[in-house]
Amino acid sequence: MPDNRVVVYKGPGEVAVESIDYPKLELPTDVVDGLGIARKAPHAAILKIVTTNICGSDQHMVRGRTTAPVGQSLGHEITGEIVEVGDDVLFAKVGDICSVPFNIACGRCRMCNEGKTGVCLHVNPARPGAAYGYVDMGGWIGGQAEYVMVPFADFNLLRFPDRDQALEKILDLTMLSDIFPTGYHGAVTAGVTTGSTVYVAGAGPVGLAAAHAAQLLGAAAVVVGDMIPERLAQARSFGCETVDLSGDGTLAEQLEQLLGEPEVDAAVDAVGFEARGHGRDAGEAPATVLNSVMEVTRVGGALGIPGLYVTGDPGAADDKAKEGTLGVRIGLGWAKSHSLTTGQCPVKKYNRQLMQAILSDRAQIAKAVNATTITLDDAPRGYQEFDGGVARKFVIDPHGSVAA
C-alpha cells in the first residue's frame, strides 16, 4: 500500500507534513455517528493528488482565527487522478484526471437537488455543508496530501476530457476546485454584466479571481482595493485599476478619480472577517469591507460576499466579533435597496463552464493569481510566505506532476 502524507495544523502560525493512513473507501466517524449512515462508501473514489492549493481560508485556521484543533488536516482545493473506485461508482474511471469541488455533496438531498451543493444536508452533522480538511466541516481528511478519498464520486468529480491537455493547463485547471468558481460566484451574485463598473475588495487570490471573472463577464472597468503594493501590482498586471486603501484618500474619492463618479454598479467582498480599517495604521475592524462596499455601490446594486465570515473567532478584537456579530450598517444597505449574497460558493454550478473557458483559452486564471508551484514538503514555507502577503497562489505538487 502506498504511503500517504498530509499537511496538518500544529498551532497558531505552524503547520507540518505528517504521515497518515492511506485512504479507505469509508466515511469519517463524525459523519457516520452524527448522521447514522453506513461507514462503507462504495460510492467513493480514491485520488492520487496531482495538484492541491493553499487557500486563504486555510490561512484563517493557521493564524489561529478559528476553532480548529491542533492536528486538523488541511486542504480543500484538490485536483487528482483516480486510482481506485468503489463498486457503486458507475461513470468515474481509474485514470481519469478530475477537479474536486471543495464542497462535499451527496447529490441526493433537497439542497443538492436545488443546486445548493455548498449546504448539502447529508455530509456534516454539525451544520449544512462540508469541506475537506476544514474545521467543523464534517471531519473529512484534507487534500494537501498525496492521496485523498472523495465520496459520492460520480456526483462530485469533474472529469477533464483530455489528459494531455489537462496536464498542459493544470495550473489553470487546479483553480476550478475553489477560487475560480468562488470569485466568479462573487461577481455573478454582485450582478456583474456587460458594461458594469465593479469594485473588488481584496487582492488576494479570491479577489484576483473575482476581478478576472468580472472581466470575463464583460465589465467595463474593474477596480481592486488592497493595502499591499505587491498584490495591487498583480491586479494591474491583467488590466485592473487599483486603489491603495492604506493612504489618506477615501475609497469613494479614489473611485471618483478613476471612474468619474464615487460609486460602482457592483461590488465584491473578497476579504472576509479579518478585515482591517482603511487608512494609515488602521487596526482590525471586521465590518469595514461590508460597510465600505455598501457605501460605494449604487442604489439598487448588489454585493457578492465570497469572503469568509465565521461564527467562532477566538482571536477577534471584541466579544461580539468572536461569535461573528459585527457592526454592519444594514440600514444603509436597506435604504439603498441592496441585495447581498453570502455563503460558500456552490462550485458545481460553475466549474464545468469555467473549465471550458480555460480549455478554449478564454480564461487565464493561473496568470491572474500568479500560480506558483511548490512541493508538499515546502507547504510550511508556502503558508509562511502567503501569510506575509505575497502576491502568489501556492500550488502544491506532491508527486512532481506539474511540468517545468
Side-chain angles (χ1 to χ4, degrees), residues 60 63-67 273-274 284 286 310 312-319 321-323:
H60 291 305
R63 290 190 187 115
R65 296 300 299 270
T66 73
T67 55
F273 72 103
E274 287 194 64
E284 188 169 304
V310 297
D313 175 10
D318 59 67
D319 289 340
K322 287 179 180 179
E323 64 179 20

Side-chain angles (χ1 to χ4, degrees), residues 348-365:
K348 280 176 60 66
K349 184 174 181 178
Y350 308 107
N351 63 352
R352 184 174 299 278
Q353 293 91 328
L354 293 175
M355 175 188 73
Q356 291 170 177
I358 289 169
L359 296 178
S360 63
D361 295 322
R362 294 277 296 174
Q364 288 81 40
I365 185 64

Side-chain angles (χ1 to χ4, degrees), residues 16-79:
V17 181
E18 297 185 351
S19 295
I20 60 170
D21 291 338
Y22 184 81
K24 299 178 181 178
L25 298 175
E26 294 180 351
L27 301 185
T29 300
D30 290 355
V31 174
V32 171
D33 292 346
L35 294 174
I37 57 179
R39 176 173 300 280
K40 290 185 178 180
H43 48 75
I46 295 172
L47 273 62
K48 178 181 178 181
I49 302 297
V50 175
T51 52
T52 176
N53 316 324
I54 297 176
C55 178
S57 297
D58 299 320
Q59 199 72 351
H60 291 305
M61 284 190 290
V62 173
R63 290 190 187 115
R65 296 300 299 270
T66 73
T67 55
V70 171
Q72 169 76 56
S73 63
L74 300 174
H76 56 268
E77 300 191 9
I78 303 166
T79 304

Side-chain angles (χ1 to χ4, degrees), residues 101-103 105 111-112 114-120 176-178 181-182 184-186 189 341-354:
F102 80 89
N103 322 112
M111 292 297 101
C112 287
E114 292 179 3
K116 300 172 183 176
T117 52
V119 284
C120 174
L176 292 172
S177 58
D178 182 355
T182 292
Y184 192 85
H185 180 62
T189 55
T341 302
T342 65
Q344 289 186 35
C345 165
V347 170
K348 280 176 60 66
K349 184 174 181 178
Y350 308 107
N351 63 352
R352 184 174 299 278
Q353 293 91 328
L354 293 175

Side-chain angles (χ1 to χ4, degrees), residues 60-375:
H60 291 305
M61 284 190 290
V62 173
R63 290 190 187 115
R65 296 300 299 270
T66 73
T67 55
V70 171
Q72 169 76 56
S73 63
L74 300 174
H76 56 268
E77 300 191 9
I78 303 166
T79 304
E81 178 182 356
I82 299 174
V83 294
E84 183 180 349
V85 295
D87 291 340
D88 288 350
V89 178
L90 302 180
F91 305 110
K93 305 296 183 185
V94 171
D96 287 346
I97 298 181
C98 305
S99 179
V100 184
F102 80 89
N103 322 112
I104 301 172
C106 71
R108 308 174 187 192
C109 70
R110 175 180 175 178
M111 292 297 101
C112 287
N113 282 323
E114 292 179 3
K116 300 172 183 176
T117 52
V119 284
C120 174
L121 302 176
H122 293 160
V123 286
N124 182 1
R127 65 186 64 171
Y132 304 89
Y134 211 84
V135 58
D136 295 332
M137 283 292 182
W140 302 86
I141 298 297
Q144 288 171 11
E146 293 174 317
Y147 297 88
V148 72
M149 187 275 290
V150 175
F152 310 106
D154 280 329
F155 182 72
N156 283 305
L157 294 175
L158 174 66
R159 175 185 172 273
F160 300 142
D162 182 272
R163 181 187 182 89
D164 291 339
Q165 185 185 30
L167 291 174
E168 179 184 346
K169 293 182 176 291
I170 196 64
L171 289 182
D172 292 287
L173 294 170
T174 192
M175 306 304 167
L176 292 172
S177 58
D178 182 355
I179 69 160
F180 198 13
T182 292
Y184 192 85
H185 180 62
V188 167
T189 55
V192 177
T193 187
T194 305
S196 297
T197 57
V198 184
Y199 173 65
V200 178
V206 170
L208 297 172
H212 187 44
Q215 293 173 332
L216 289 175
L217 289 165
V222 181
V223 183
V224 180
D226 205 290
M227 300 183 183
I228 300 176
E230 185 181 355
R231 288 185 167 185
L232 292 172
Q234 180 62 28
R236 290 192 295 272
S237 74
F238 61 97
C240 298
E241 301 285 354
T242 59
V243 293
D244 184 347
L245 299 168
S246 66
D248 295 327
T250 68
L251 174 57
E253 289 169 345
Q254 294 190 67
L255 288 175
E256 186 165 24
Q257 291 175 3
L258 291 170
L259 305 175
E261 56 183 358
E263 62 181 12
V264 292
D265 298 320
V268 178
D269 171 4
V271 177
F273 72 103
E274 287 194 64
R276 302 182 67 82
H278 298 168
R280 302 183 191 281
D281 302 319
E284 188 169 304
T288 296
V289 172
L290 292 171
N291 289 329
S292 66
V293 293
M294 284 192 287
E295 290 171 2
V296 301
T297 301
R298 65 169 172 80
V299 169
L303 314 178
I305 309 174
L308 176 65
Y309 289 88
V310 297
T311 56
D313 175 10
D318 59 67
D319 289 340
K320 288 291 187 181
K322 287 179 180 179
E323 64 179 20
T325 300
L326 310 181
V328 177
R329 293 184 62 196
I330 193 65
L332 176 62
W334 190 94
K336 297 180 76 172
S337 293
H338 285 159
S339 58
L340 292 77
T341 302
T342 65
Q344 289 186 35
C345 165
V347 170
K348 280 176 60 66
K349 184 174 181 178
Y350 308 107
N351 63 352
R352 184 174 299 278
Q353 293 91 328
L354 293 175
M355 175 188 73
Q356 291 170 177
I358 289 169
L359 296 178
S360 63
D361 295 322
R362 294 277 296 174
Q364 288 81 40
I365 185 64
K367 177 183 176 182
V369 301
N370 196 16
T372 303
T373 307
I374 60 175
T375 67

